[in-house]
Amino acid sequence: MKARVLGSATNTQEIDHNLSIGISPNPVKEILYFKTHLNINKIEIFDALGRSIQSENISENKINVAHLANGIYFAEIKTKSGIQISKIIIQK
């Protein structure tokens, strides 16, 4: 199933709900790991208000979120096959 959502202020992006990218641990303290057979190109973290607060091109399937405050965030995971958005919880 695919849905259209507003990506950046200038374009729309496809969200693919079938990518099945695993995230662990969740809740997370420092390092968030992504389990997938796909190559992840970029991770963007959004706060609960939809503001982009971290954006990284990654070469390994992990991202450091230790600098983020406790709370609920959303990870937009971009691959060549599509985009998955997952809820993450920061709890230290």
Coordinates of all heavy atoms in Angstrom, one line a residue:
M1 N 0.8 -1.2 0.0 CA 0.0 0.0 0.0 C 0.9 1.2 0.0 O 1.8 1.3 0.8 CB -0.9 0.0 1.2 CG -1.7 1.2 1.4 SD -3.0 1.1 2.7 CE -2.0 1.4 4.1
K2 N 0.6 2.2 -0.9 CA 1.4 3.4 -0.9 C 0.4 4.6 -0.7 O -0.7 4.6 -1.1 CB 2.1 3.6 -2.3 CG 3.2 2.6 -2.5 CD 4.0 2.9 -3.7 CE 5.1 1.9 -3.9 NZ 5.9 2.2 -5.0
A3 N 1.0 5.6 -0.1 CA 0.2 6.8 0.2 C 1.1 8.0 -0.3 O 2.3 8.0 -0.3 CB -0.1 6.9 1.6
R4 N 0.4 9.1 -0.6 CA 1.1 10.3 -0.9 C 1.1 11.2 0.3 O 0.1 11.5 0.9 CB 0.5 11.1 -2.1 CG 0.3 10.2 -3.4 CD 1.6 10.1 -4.1 NE 2.0 11.3 -4.7 CZ 3.1 11.6 -5.3 NH1 4.0 10.6 -5.4 NH2 3.4 12.7 -5.8
V5 N 2.3 11.7 0.6 CA 2.4 12.7 1.7 C 3.4 13.8 1.3 O 4.2 13.6 0.4 CB 2.9 12.0 3.1 CG1 1.9 11.0 3.5 CG2 4.3 11.5 2.9
L6 N 3.3 14.9 2.0 CA 4.2 16.0 1.7 C 5.5 15.7 2.3 O 5.6 15.4 3.5 CB 3.6 17.3 2.3 CG 4.3 18.6 2.0 CD1 4.3 18.8 0.5 CD2 3.7 19.7 2.7
G7 N 6.5 15.7 1.5 CA 7.9 15.5 2.0 C 8.5 16.8 2.4 O 8.2 17.3 3.5
S8 N 9.3 17.4 1.6 CA 9.8 18.7 1.9 C 8.7 19.8 1.4 O 7.7 19.4 0.9 CB 11.1 19.0 1.2 OG 10.9 19.1 -0.2
A9 N 9.0 21.0 1.6 CA 8.1 22.1 1.2 C 7.9 22.2 -0.3 O 6.9 22.8 -0.7 CB 8.5 23.4 1.8
T10 N 8.8 21.6 -1.1 CA 8.7 21.7 -2.5 C 8.3 20.5 -3.3 O 8.2 20.6 -4.5 CB 10.1 22.2 -3.0 OG1 11.1 21.3 -2.7 CG2 10.4 23.6 -2.4
N11 N 8.2 19.4 -2.6 CA 7.9 18.2 -3.4 C 7.1 17.2 -2.6 O 7.0 17.3 -1.4 CB 9.1 17.5 -4.0 CG 10.0 16.9 -2.9 OD1 9.8 17.0 -1.8 ND2 11.1 16.4 -3.4
T12 N 6.5 16.2 -3.3 CA 5.8 15.1 -2.6 C 6.6 13.8 -2.8 O 7.4 13.7 -3.7 CB 4.4 14.9 -3.1 OG1 4.5 14.6 -4.5 CG2 3.5 16.1 -2.8
Q13 N 6.5 12.9 -1.8 CA 7.3 11.7 -1.9 C 6.4 10.5 -1.6 O 5.4 10.6 -1.0 CB 8.4 11.7 -0.8 CG 9.3 12.9 -1.0 CD 10.3 13.0 0.1 OE1 10.3 12.3 1.1 NE2 11.2 14.0 0.0
E14 N 6.8 9.3 -2.2 CA 6.0 8.1 -2.0 C 6.4 7.4 -0.7 O 7.6 7.3 -0.4 CB 6.3 7.1 -3.2 CG 5.8 7.5 -4.5 CD 4.3 7.1 -4.6 OE1 3.9 6.2 -4.0 OE2 3.6 7.9 -5.4
I15 N 5.4 7.0 0.1 CA 5.6 6.3 1.3 C 5.2 4.8 1.0 O 4.1 4.6 0.6 CB 4.8 6.8 2.5 CG1 5.1 8.3 2.7 CG2 5.0 6.0 3.7 CD1 6.5 8.6 3.1
D16 N 6.1 3.9 1.2 CA 5.8 2.5 1.0 C 5.8 1.8 2.3 O 6.7 1.7 3.0 CB 7.0 1.9 0.1 CG 6.6 0.4 -0.3 OD1 5.8 -0.2 0.3 OD2 7.2 0.0 -1.3
H17 N 4.6 1.3 2.7 CA 4.3 0.7 3.9 C 4.7 -0.8 4.0 O 4.6 -1.4 5.0 CB 2.9 0.8 4.3 CG 2.4 2.3 4.4 ND1 2.7 3.0 5.5 CD2 1.8 3.1 3.6 CE1 2.2 4.3 5.4 NE2 1.6 4.3 4.2
N18 N 5.3 -1.3 2.9 CA 5.7 -2.7 2.8 C 7.2 -2.9 2.8 O 7.6 -4.0 2.6 CB 5.1 -3.3 1.5 CG 3.6 -3.3 1.5 OD1 3.0 -3.6 2.5 ND2 3.0 -2.9 0.4
L19 N 8.0 -1.9 3.1 CA 9.4 -2.0 3.1 C 9.9 -2.9 4.3 O 10.9 -3.6 4.2 CB 10.1 -0.7 3.2 CG 10.0 0.2 2.0 CD1 10.8 1.5 2.2 CD2 10.6 -0.5 0.8
S20 N 9.2 -2.9 5.4 CA 9.5 -3.8 6.6 C 10.9 -3.6 7.1 O 11.6 -4.5 7.3 CB 9.2 -5.2 6.3 OG 7.9 -5.4 5.9
I21 N 11.3 -2.4 7.3 CA 12.6 -2.1 7.9 C 12.4 -2.1 9.4 O 11.6 -1.4 10.0 CB 13.1 -0.7 7.4 CG1 13.3 -0.7 5.9 CG2 14.4 -0.3 8.2 CD1 13.6 0.7 5.3
G22 N 13.2 -3.0 10.0 CA 13.1 -3.1 11.5 C 14.0 -2.1 12.2 O 15.0 -1.6 11.7
I23 N 13.5 -1.7 13.4 CA 14.2 -0.6 14.1 C 14.4 -1.2 15.5 O 13.4 -1.7 16.1 CB 13.4 0.7 14.2 CG1 13.2 1.3 12.8 CG2 14.0 1.7 15.1 CD1 12.3 2.5 12.8
S24 N 15.6 -1.0 16.1 CA 15.8 -1.5 17.5 C 17.0 -0.7 18.0 O 17.9 -0.2 17.3 CB 16.1 -3.0 17.5 OG 17.3 -3.3 16.9
P25 N 17.1 -0.5 19.3 CA 16.0 -0.8 20.3 C 15.0 0.4 20.2 O 15.3 1.4 19.7 CB 16.7 -0.8 21.6 CG 17.9 0.2 21.4 CD 18.3 0.0 20.0
N26 N 13.8 0.1 20.6 CA 12.8 1.2 20.6 C 11.9 0.9 21.8 O 11.1 0.0 21.8 CB 12.0 1.1 19.3 CG 11.2 2.4 19.1 OD1 11.4 3.4 19.8 ND2 10.3 2.4 18.1
P27 N 12.1 1.7 22.9 CA 12.8 3.0 23.1 C 14.3 2.9 23.0 O 14.9 1.8 23.2 CB 12.4 3.5 24.5 CG 11.4 2.5 25.0 CD 11.4 1.3 24.1
V28 N 14.9 4.0 22.6 CA 16.4 4.0 22.4 C 17.0 5.1 23.2 O 16.3 6.1 23.5 CB 16.7 4.3 20.9 CG1 16.1 5.6 20.4 CG2 18.1 4.3 20.6
K29 N 18.2 4.9 23.6 CA 19.0 5.9 24.4 C 20.0 6.6 23.5 O 20.1 7.8 23.6 CB 19.7 5.2 25.6 CG 18.8 4.7 26.6 CD 19.6 4.1 27.8 CE 18.7 3.5 28.8 NZ 19.4 2.9 29.9
E30 N 20.8 5.8 22.7 CA 21.9 6.4 22.0 C 21.9 6.1 20.5 O 21.8 6.9 19.7 CB 23.2 6.0 22.6 CG 23.4 6.6 24.0 CD 24.8 6.2 24.6 OE1 25.6 5.6 23.9 OE2 25.0 6.5 25.8
I31 N 22.1 4.8 20.2 CA 22.2 4.3 18.8 C 21.0 3.6 18.4 O 20.5 2.6 19.0 CB 23.4 3.4 18.7 CG1 24.7 4.1 19.2 CG2 23.6 3.0 17.2 CD1 25.1 5.3 18.4
L32 N 20.4 4.0 17.3 CA 19.2 3.4 16.7 C 19.7 2.6 15.5 O 20.4 3.1 14.6 CB 18.2 4.4 16.3 CG 16.8 4.0 15.8 CD1 16.1 3.2 16.9 CD2 16.0 5.1 15.3
Y33 N 19.4 1.3 15.5 CA 19.8 0.4 14.4 C 18.6 0.0 13.5 O 17.5 -0.1 14.0 CB 20.3 -0.9 15.0 CG 21.6 -0.7 15.8 CD1 21.5 -0.5 17.2 CD2 22.8 -0.7 15.2 CE1 22.7 -0.3 18.0 CE2 24.0 -0.6 16.0 CZ 23.9 -0.3 17.3 OH 25.0 -0.1 18.1
F34 N 18.9 -0.1 12.2 CA 17.9 -0.5 11.2 C 18.3 -1.8 10.6 O 19.4 -2.0 10.1 CB 17.9 0.6 10.1 CG 17.6 2.0 10.7 CD1 18.7 2.8 11.0 CD2 16.3 2.4 10.9 CE1 18.4 4.1 11.5 CE2 16.1 3.7 11.4 CZ 17.1 4.5 11.7
K35 N 17.3 -2.7 10.6 CA 17.5 -4.1 10.1 C 16.7 -4.2 8.8 O 15.5 -4.1 8.8 CB 17.0 -5.1 11.1 CG 17.3 -6.5 10.6 CD 16.9 -7.6 11.7 CE 17.1 -8.9 11.1 NZ 16.7 -10.0 12.1
T36 N 17.5 -4.4 7.7 CA 16.9 -4.5 6.4 C 17.9 -5.0 5.4 O 19.1 -4.9 5.6 CB 16.4 -3.1 5.9 OG1 15.9 -3.2 4.6 CG2 17.5 -2.1 5.8
H37 N 17.4 -5.6 4.3 CA 18.3 -6.1 3.2 C 18.5 -5.0 2.2 O 19.3 -5.1 1.3 CB 17.7 -7.3 2.6 CG 16.4 -7.0 1.9 ND1 15.2 -6.9 2.5 CD2 16.1 -6.8 0.6 CE1 14.2 -6.6 1.7 NE2 14.8 -6.5 0.5
L38 N 17.8 -3.9 2.4 CA 17.9 -2.7 1.4 C 19.0 -1.8 1.9 O 19.4 -1.7 3.0 CB 16.6 -1.9 1.5 CG 15.3 -2.7 1.1 CD1 14.1 -1.9 1.4 CD2 15.4 -3.1 -0.4
N39 N 19.6 -1.0 0.9 CA 20.6 0.0 1.2 C 19.8 1.2 1.6 O 19.0 1.8 0.8 CB 21.5 0.2 0.0 CG 22.4 -0.9 -0.3 OD1 22.8 -1.6 0.6 ND2 22.8 -1.1 -1.5
I40 N 20.1 1.7 2.8 CA 19.4 3.0 3.3 C 20.3 4.1 2.8 O 21.5 4.1 3.0 CB 19.3 3.0 4.8 CG1 18.4 1.8 5.3 CG2 18.8 4.3 5.3 CD1 18.3 1.7 6.8
N41 N 19.6 5.1 2.1 CA 20.3 6.2 1.6 C 20.4 7.4 2.6 O 21.4 8.1 2.7 CB 19.7 6.7 0.3 CG 19.7 5.7 -0.8 OD1 20.6 4.9 -0.9 ND2 18.6 5.6 -1.5
K42 N 19.2 7.6 3.3 CA 19.1 8.8 4.2 C 18.1 8.5 5.3 O 17.1 7.9 5.0 CB 18.7 10.0 3.3 CG 18.7 11.3 4.1 CD 18.3 12.4 3.1 CE 18.4 13.8 3.8 NZ 18.1 14.9 2.9
I43 N 18.4 9.1 6.4 CA 17.5 9.0 7.6 C 17.2 10.5 8.0 O 18.1 11.3 8.1 CB 18.1 8.3 8.8 CG1 18.6 6.9 8.4 CG2 17.2 8.3 10.0 CD1 17.5 5.9 8.2
E44 N 15.9 10.8 8.1 CA 15.6 12.1 8.6 C 14.7 11.9 9.8 O 13.7 11.1 9.8 CB 14.8 12.9 7.5 CG 14.7 14.3 7.9 CD 14.4 15.2 6.7 OE1 14.3 14.7 5.6 OE2 14.3 16.4 6.9
I45 N 15.0 12.6 10.9 CA 14.2 12.5 12.2 C 13.4 13.8 12.3 O 13.9 14.9 12.2 CB 15.2 12.4 13.4 CG1 16.2 11.2 13.2 CG2 14.3 12.2 14.7 CD1 15.6 9.9 13.3
F46 N 12.1 13.5 12.6 CA 11.1 14.6 12.8 C 10.6 14.6 14.2 O 10.4 13.5 14.8 CB 9.9 14.5 11.8 CG 10.3 14.6 10.4 CD1 10.7 13.5 9.7 CD2 10.3 15.8 9.8 CE1 11.1 13.6 8.3 CE2 10.6 16.0 8.4 CZ 11.0 14.9 7.7
D47 N 10.3 15.7 14.8 CA 9.7 15.8 16.1 C 8.2 15.6 15.9 O 7.7 15.4 14.8 CB 10.0 17.1 16.9 CG 9.4 18.3 16.2 OD1 8.6 18.3 15.3 OD2 9.9 19.4 16.7
A48 N 7.4 15.6 17.0 CA 6.0 15.3 17.0 C 5.2 16.4 16.2 O 4.1 16.2 15.8 CB 5.4 15.2 18.4
L49 N 5.8 17.6 16.0 CA 5.2 18.6 15.3 C 5.5 18.6 13.8 O 5.1 19.5 13.0 CB 5.5 20.0 15.9 CG 5.1 20.2 17.3 CD1 5.6 21.6 17.8 CD2 3.6 20.2 17.4
G50 N 6.3 17.6 13.4 CA 6.7 17.5 12.0 C 7.9 18.3 11.6 O 8.2 18.4 10.4
R51 N 8.6 18.8 12.5 CA 9.8 19.6 12.2 C 11.0 18.7 12.0 O 11.2 17.8 12.9 CB 10.1 20.6 13.3 CG 9.0 21.7 13.4 CD 9.3 22.6 14.5 NE 9.3 21.9 15.8 CZ 9.1 22.4 17.0 NH1 9.0 23.7 17.1 NH2 9.1 21.6 18.1
S52 N 11.8 18.9 11.0 CA 13.0 18.1 10.7 C 14.0 18.5 11.7 O 14.4 19.7 11.8 CB 13.5 18.3 9.3 OG 14.7 17.6 9.1
I53 N 14.5 17.6 12.5 CA 15.5 18.0 13.5 C 16.9 17.3 13.3 O 17.9 17.7 14.0 CB 15.0 17.7 15.0 CG1 14.6 16.2 15.1 CG2 13.9 18.6 15.3 CD1 14.3 15.8 16.5
Q54 N 16.9 16.3 12.5 CA 18.2 15.6 12.1 C 18.1 15.0 10.8 O 17.1 14.3 10.5 CB 18.5 14.6 13.2 CG 19.8 13.9 13.0 CD 20.2 12.9 14.2 OE1 19.5 12.9 15.2 NE2 21.2 12.1 14.0
S55 N 19.1 15.1 9.9 CA 19.0 14.5 8.6 C 20.5 14.1 8.3 O 21.4 14.9 8.4 CB 18.6 15.5 7.6 OG 18.5 15.0 6.3
E56 N 20.6 12.8 8.0 CA 21.9 12.2 7.7 C 21.9 11.2 6.5 O 21.0 10.4 6.5 CB 22.5 11.5 8.9 CG 22.8 12.4 10.1 CD 23.4 11.6 11.2 OE1 24.1 10.6 11.0 OE2 23.3 12.1 12.4
N57 N 22.9 11.3 5.7 CA 23.1 10.3 4.7 C 24.0 9.3 5.5 O 24.9 9.6 6.1 CB 23.9 10.8 3.5 CG 23.1 11.8 2.7 OD1 21.9 11.6 2.5 ND2 23.7 12.9 2.3
I58 N 23.6 8.0 5.4 CA 24.3 7.0 6.2 C 24.9 5.9 5.4 O 24.3 5.6 4.3 CB 23.4 6.4 7.4 CG1 22.2 5.6 6.8 CG2 22.9 7.5 8.3 CD1 21.4 4.8 7.8
S59 N 26.0 5.4 5.8 CA 26.6 4.3 5.1 C 26.4 3.0 5.9 O 26.6 1.9 5.3 CB 28.1 4.5 4.8 OG 28.8 4.7 6.1
E60 N 26.2 3.1 7.2 CA 25.9 1.9 8.0 C 24.4 2.0 8.4 O 23.8 3.1 8.4 CB 26.8 1.9 9.2 CG 28.2 1.8 8.9 CD 29.1 1.8 10.1 OE1 28.6 1.4 11.2 OE2 30.3 2.2 10.0
N61 N 23.8 0.9 8.8 CA 22.4 0.9 9.2 C 22.2 1.3 10.6 O 21.6 0.6 11.4 CB 21.7 -0.4 8.8 CG 21.5 -0.6 7.4 OD1 21.8 0.3 6.6 ND2 21.0 -1.7 7.0
K62 N 22.7 2.5 11.0 CA 22.5 3.0 12.4 C 22.7 4.5 12.4 O 23.2 5.1 11.5 CB 23.6 2.4 13.3 CG 25.0 2.7 13.0 CD 25.9 2.0 14.0 CE 27.4 2.4 13.7 NZ 28.3 1.8 14.6
I63 N 22.1 5.1 13.4 CA 22.2 6.6 13.6 C 22.3 6.9 15.1 O 21.6 6.2 15.9 CB 21.0 7.2 12.9 CG1 21.1 8.8 12.9 CG2 19.7 6.9 13.6 CD1 20.1 9.5 12.0
N64 N 23.1 7.9 15.4 CA 23.2 8.3 16.8 C 22.1 9.4 17.1 O 22.1 10.4 16.5 CB 24.6 8.9 17.0 CG 24.9 9.2 18.5 OD1 24.0 9.5 19.3 ND2 26.2 9.1 18.9
V65 N 21.3 9.1 18.1 CA 20.3 10.0 18.6 C 20.4 10.4 20.0 O 19.5 10.9 20.6 CB 18.9 9.4 18.3 CG1 18.6 9.2 16.9 CG2 18.7 8.0 19.1
A66 N 21.6 10.2 20.6 CA 21.9 10.5 22.0 C 21.7 12.0 22.3 O 21.3 12.3 23.5 CB 23.3 10.1 22.3
H67 N 21.8 12.9 21.4 CA 21.6 14.3 21.6 C 20.2 14.8 21.7 O 19.9 15.9 22.1 CB 22.3 15.1 20.5 CG 21.7 14.9 19.2 ND1 21.9 13.8 18.4 CD2 20.9 15.7 18.5 CE1 21.2 13.9 17.3 NE2 20.6 15.0 17.3
L68 N 19.2 13.9 21.3 CA 17.8 14.2 21.3 C 17.2 14.1 22.7 O 17.6 13.2 23.5 CB 17.0 13.3 20.4 CG 17.4 13.5 18.9 CD1 16.6 12.5 18.1 CD2 17.2 14.9 18.4
A69 N 16.3 14.9 23.1 CA 15.6 14.9 24.4 C 14.6 13.7 24.4 O 14.2 13.2 23.3 CB 14.9 16.2 24.6
N70 N 14.2 13.3 25.6 CA 13.2 12.2 25.7 C 11.9 12.7 25.0 O 11.6 13.8 25.0 CB 12.9 12.0 27.1 CG 13.9 11.2 27.9 OD1 14.9 10.7 27.3 ND2 13.8 11.2 29.2
G71 N 11.3 11.7 24.3 CA 10.1 12.0 23.6 C 9.8 11.1 22.4 O 10.5 10.1 22.2
I72 N 8.7 11.4 21.7 CA 8.3 10.6 20.5 C 8.8 11.4 19.3 O 8.6 12.6 19.1 CB 6.8 10.4 20.5 CG1 6.4 9.6 21.7 CG2 6.4 9.8 19.2 CD1 4.9 9.4 21.9
Y73 N 9.4 10.6 18.4 CA 9.9 11.2 17.1 C 9.5 10.2 16.0 O 9.0 9.1 16.2 CB 11.4 11.3 17.1 CG 12.0 12.2 18.2 CD1 12.2 11.8 19.5 CD2 12.2 13.6 17.9 CE1 12.6 12.7 20.5 CE2 12.7 14.4 18.9 CZ 12.9 14.0 20.2 OH 13.3 14.8 21.1
F74 N 9.7 10.7 14.7 CA 9.4 9.9 13.6 C 10.7 9.8 12.7 O 11.3 10.9 12.4 CB 8.3 10.4 12.8 CG 7.0 10.4 13.6 CD1 6.6 11.5 14.4 CD2 6.2 9.3 13.6 CE1 5.5 11.4 15.2 CE2 5.0 9.2 14.4 CZ 4.7 10.3 15.1
A75 N 11.1 8.6 12.3 CA 12.2 8.4 11.4 C 11.7 8.2 10.0 O 10.9 7.2 9.8 CB 13.0 7.2 11.9
E76 N 12.1 9.0 9.1 CA 11.8 8.8 7.7 C 13.0 8.1 7.0 O 14.1 8.7 7.0 CB 11.5 10.2 7.0 CG 11.1 10.0 5.5 CD 10.8 11.3 4.9 OE1 11.8 12.0 4.5 OE2 9.6 11.7 4.8
I77 N 12.9 6.9 6.6 CA 14.0 6.0 6.2 C 13.9 5.9 4.6 O 12.9 5.4 4.1 CB 13.9 4.7 6.8 CG1 13.8 4.8 8.3 CG2 15.1 3.8 6.4 CD1 13.2 3.6 9.0
K78 N 14.8 6.5 3.9 CA 14.8 6.5 2.5 C 15.7 5.5 1.9 O 16.9 5.4 2.2 CB 15.2 7.9 2.0 CG 14.3 9.0 2.4 CD 14.7 10.4 1.9 CE 13.7 11.4 2.4 NZ 14.0 12.7 2.0
T79 N 15.1 4.7 0.9 CA 15.9 3.7 0.2 C 15.6 3.9 -1.3 O 14.7 4.7 -1.6 CB 15.5 2.2 0.6 OG1 14.2 2.0 0.1 CG2 15.6 2.0 2.1
K80 N 16.3 3.2 -2.2 CA 15.9 3.2 -3.6 C 14.6 2.6 -3.9 O 13.9 3.0 -4.8 CB 17.0 2.5 -4.4 CG 18.3 3.2 -4.5 CD 19.3 2.4 -5.4 CE 20.6 3.2 -5.5 NZ 21.5 2.5 -6.4
S81 N 14.1 1.7 -3.0 CA 12.8 1.1 -3.2 C 11.6 1.9 -2.6 O 10.5 1.6 -2.9 CB 12.8 -0.3 -2.5 OG 13.8 -1.1 -3.0
G82 N 11.9 2.9 -1.9 CA 10.8 3.8 -1.3 C 11.2 4.4 0.0 O 12.4 4.4 0.4
I83 N 10.2 4.8 0.7 CA 10.4 5.5 2.0 C 9.5 4.8 3.1 O 8.3 4.5 2.8 CB 10.0 7.0 1.9 CG1 10.9 7.7 0.9 CG2 10.1 7.7 3.3 CD1 10.5 9.1 0.6
Q84 N 10.1 4.6 4.2 CA 9.3 4.1 5.4 C 9.3 5.1 6.5 O 10.4 5.7 6.8 CB 9.8 2.8 5.9 CG 9.1 2.3 7.1 CD 9.6 0.9 7.5 OE1 9.7 0.0 6.7 NE2 10.0 0.8 8.8
I85 N 8.2 5.4 7.1 CA 8.2 6.3 8.3 C 7.9 5.4 9.5 O 6.9 4.7 9.5 CB 7.2 7.4 8.1 CG1 7.6 8.3 7.0 CG2 7.1 8.2 9.4 CD1 6.7 9.5 6.7
S86 N 8.7 5.5 10.5 CA 8.5 4.7 11.8 C 8.6 5.6 13.0 O 9.4 6.6 13.0 CB 9.6 3.7 11.9 OG 9.5 2.8 10.8
K87 N 7.8 5.3 14.0 CA 7.8 6.0 15.2 C 8.9 5.5 16.1 O 9.1 4.3 16.2 CB 6.4 5.9 16.0 CG 6.3 6.6 17.3 CD 4.9 6.7 17.8 CE 4.7 5.4 18.5 NZ 3.4 5.4 19.3
I88 N 9.7 6.4 16.7 CA 10.7 6.1 17.6 C 10.5 6.8 18.9 O 10.0 7.9 18.9 CB 12.1 6.3 17.1 CG1 12.3 7.7 16.7 CG2 12.4 5.4 15.9 CD1 13.8 8.1 16.3
I89 N 10.9 6.2 20.0 CA 10.8 6.8 21.3 C 12.2 7.0 21.9 O 13.0 6.0 22.0 CB 10.0 5.9 22.3 CG1 8.5 5.8 21.7 CG2 9.9 6.5 23.7 CD1 7.7 4.8 22.4
I90 N 12.6 8.2 22.3 CA 13.8 8.4 23.0 C 13.6 8.4 24.5 O 12.7 9.2 24.9 CB 14.5 9.8 22.6 CG1 14.6 10.0 21.1 CG2 15.8 10.0 23.3 CD1 15.5 9.1 20.4
Q91 N 14.2 7.5 25.2 CA 14.0 7.4 26.6 C 15.4 7.1 27.3 O 16.0 6.1 27.1 CB 13.0 6.3 26.9 CG 12.7 6.2 28.4 CD 11.6 5.1 28.6 OE1 11.1 4.5 27.6 NE2 11.3 4.9 29.8
K92 N 15.9 8.1 28.0 CA 17.2 7.9 28.7 C 17.1 7.6 30.1 O 16.2 7.8 30.8 CB 18.0 9.2 28.5 CG 18.2 9.5 27.0 CD 18.9 10.8 26.7 CE 18.9 11.0 25.3 NZ 19.5 12.2 24.9

